[in-house]
Amino acid sequence: MKIIGTGSAHPKQVVTNEMLSTFLDTNDEWIKTRTGIQERRVISSERLEDLALEAMERALQSTKLTARDIDFIICSNVVNEYITPGLGCVLQGMLGATCPTIDVNGACAGFIYALDIADAFFKSGRVKNVLVVAAEEPSRMMDWTDRSTCVLFGDGAGAVVLTEGDNFESFSLTNTSMPEALYQRHKLQYTPYVDKDEPDHAVIMNGQDVFKMAVRGSIRDLNRVMQKANVTPDQVDHYLLHQANIRIIDTIREYMKQGWDKFPHFIEKYGNTSSSSIPMLLDEMAREGKIKDGDRIAMSAFGAGFTTAACLLKWTEIKYEE
Ligand code: COA
């Protein structure tokens, strides 16, 4: 398969570190030096599905396809206002598509999980065009009195349109079951029969464990996808890493012995937008002409699970109208 369209959208509400320090015991200096984040976008009056729709429509605009040409929609999402139906079902109707949809909850690695599923559908000959959309509002999962988590995240959506081609060179997915490192739990509806204790709380995270697992997992996955494709770190032009912490990105960059020019980042302005971060970054770079025809891209992400995923692909330039 190959990517023929990209799109992204983010909420209008900007929340700076200074704004957080008015109600949390934190400050711009701490957040900037520990994470790289200066501000993030947070959902206010928008609905997540509107952001997702904008990202999908923008991705379609850069192709010659219409919504009816899409054979499958794969939606990467952790939470939204619906428990059921899946967010992909809601988005399919809004877009005017007629194909089946499936939701993937691979946490922050979900976009690459979704790409891998799309790849399998292409290889089995069941689809000609697939739309992958990642739409996330982690801000709705946080305890906004907990300075150790809520400062890290932001909301947004990113999408890609895929068609038949051979640009993707390799994938690697893993899950190491470790829910205690990063999780949120909520109470289900009452029944007269439930008599067990059911926790109900916002995100709980062991930041230092997650940091170490992220670095180890990403390096392992990147080595795997490069080995599979017989590629060295020098032969990768752009490392699009999950935007969780600039220090995580820097540690991986140093291990790969590559310059910052190969490690684009926009965590400064968006924070960690979960699985939306890589497609949002890809869209921004592609529209700014920063990815050239034939460039090789490595993507790598990690998140609650503990899930990690990476892939390697060659870029075919997209002509954007605007
Ligand atoms: N502002 C000010 N101080 C803060 C703070 C904040 N927002 N959050 C935590 N602190 C304090 C802690 O309470 C602690 O204080 P203490 O020493 O008095 O106990 C101190 O800062 C150091 O905390 P620590 O957790 O050791 O900091 P750290 O250097 O590990 O950085 C993270 C914390 C969360 C930024 C870092 O561990 C991280 O990024 N981990 C990965 C998280 C991640 O990427 N999650 C998403 C995965 S998809």
Side-chain angles (χ1 to χ4, degrees):
M1 63 184 184
K2 69 171 178 180
I3 296 174
I4 53 166
T6 67
S8 61
H10 41 69
K12 59 181 180 305
Q13 177 69 58
V14 177
V15 178
T16 62
N17 293 344
E18 285 82 5
M19 287 162 77
L20 294 175
S21 67
T22 62
F23 62 90
L24 285 171
D25 181 14
T26 191
N27 56 73
D28 179 50
E29 183 58 24
W30 192 96
I31 301 173
K32 252 190 343 214
T33 48
R34 304 276 177 141
T35 72
I37 302 166
Q38 295 173 23
E39 56 186 46
R40 68 286 292 142
R41 298 293 182 100
V42 174
I43 290 235
S44 53
S45 55
E46 307 94 341
R47 297 180 309 168
L48 183 63
E49 48 267 44
D50 296 327
L51 294 181
L53 180 65
E54 192 184 330
M56 293 192 305
E57 285 179 334
R58 285 171 67 81
L60 264 180
Q61 266 164 24
S62 43
T63 71
K64 292 189 173 66
L65 304 178
T66 68
R68 292 194 167 243
D69 298 318
I70 301 296
D71 301 314
F72 196 35
I73 295 173
I74 309 176
C75 176
S76 168
N77 170 256
V78 177
V79 291
N80 69 89
E81 290 178 46
Y82 288 90
I83 298 282
T84 192
L87 185 60
C89 298
V90 177
L91 298 175
Q92 182 246 32
M94 291 170 73
L95 187 67
T98 52
C99 60
T101 76
I102 186 174
D103 276 29
V104 175
N105 181 343
C108 302
F111 176 69
I112 302 175
Y113 268 71
L115 289 179
D116 191 43
I117 294 167
D119 191 50
F121 270 76
F122 277 105
K123 283 183 174 147
S124 70
R126 292 172 65 185
V127 291
K128 290 202 178 316
N129 305 301
V130 173
L131 202 158
V132 171
V133 57
E136 303 281 15
E137 46 183 334
S139 69
R140 307 299 297 277
M141 301 165 64
M142 302 300 141
D143 172 355
W144 282 77
T145 64
D146 177 3
R147 67 179 183 174
S148 70
T149 52
C150 75
V151 305
L152 304 174
F153 294 89
D155 305 326
V160 295
V161 178
L162 299 151
T163 197
E164 291 165 302
D166 58 1
N167 289 24
F168 279 77
E169 299 178 300
S170 54
F171 278 94
S172 171
L173 308 185
T174 65
N175 177 56
T176 309
S177 183
M178 226 180 145
E180 66 280 7
L182 173 53
Y183 68 105
Q184 179 188 5
R185 295 192 62 170
H186 68 97
K187 259 196 172 39
L188 299 173
Q189 294 293 312
Y190 166 82
T191 86
Y193 310 109
V194 170
D195 59 0
K196 57 191 158 64
D197 184 33
E198 292 189 328
D200 191 28
H201 53 74
V203 159
I204 291 177
M205 180 179 70
N206 182 329
Q208 291 186 0
D209 281 356
V210 170
F211 193 108
K212 286 180 213 143
M213 289 191 295
V215 170
R216 261 190 243 123
S218 252
I219 289 174
R220 180 202 56 221
D221 292 354
L222 286 166
N223 280 333
R224 269 187 200 159
V225 290
M226 285 192 268
Q227 265 161 24
K228 276 189 195 174
N230 203 16
V231 162
T232 65
D234 289 350
Q235 291 173 300
V236 174
D237 300 294
H238 312 278
Y239 288 83
L240 267 63
L241 303 190
H242 174 44
Q243 304 287 296
N245 186 319
I246 198 73
R247 292 189 293 139
I248 293 177
I249 297 173
D250 194 27
T251 311
I252 298 166
R253 184 191 67 77
E254 282 191 352
Y255 182 89
M256 293 292 158
K257 297 190 173 55
Q258 303 295 311
W260 269 113
D261 54 320
K262 287 192 179 185
F263 282 74
H265 50 91
F266 66 4
I267 188 166
E268 303 75 14
K269 52 181 182 173
Y270 294 123
N272 177 347
T273 57
S274 188
S275 73
S276 303
S277 79
I278 290 178
M280 286 170 71
L281 181 60
L282 179 71
D283 180 49
E284 193 172 294
M285 289 182 65
R287 281 175 195 273
E288 287 173 2
K290 290 183 177 155
I291 316 175
K292 303 289 174 228
D293 208 47
D295 279 2
R296 180 176 277 119
I297 299 173
M299 296 179 178
S300 169
F302 49 83
F306 197 78
T307 58
T308 73
C311 67
L312 208 59
L313 66 133
K314 282 283 193 74
W315 188 248
T316 301
E317 204 162 329
I318 298 171
K319 300 265 174 278
Y320 295 96
E321 274 169 21
E322 49 199 90

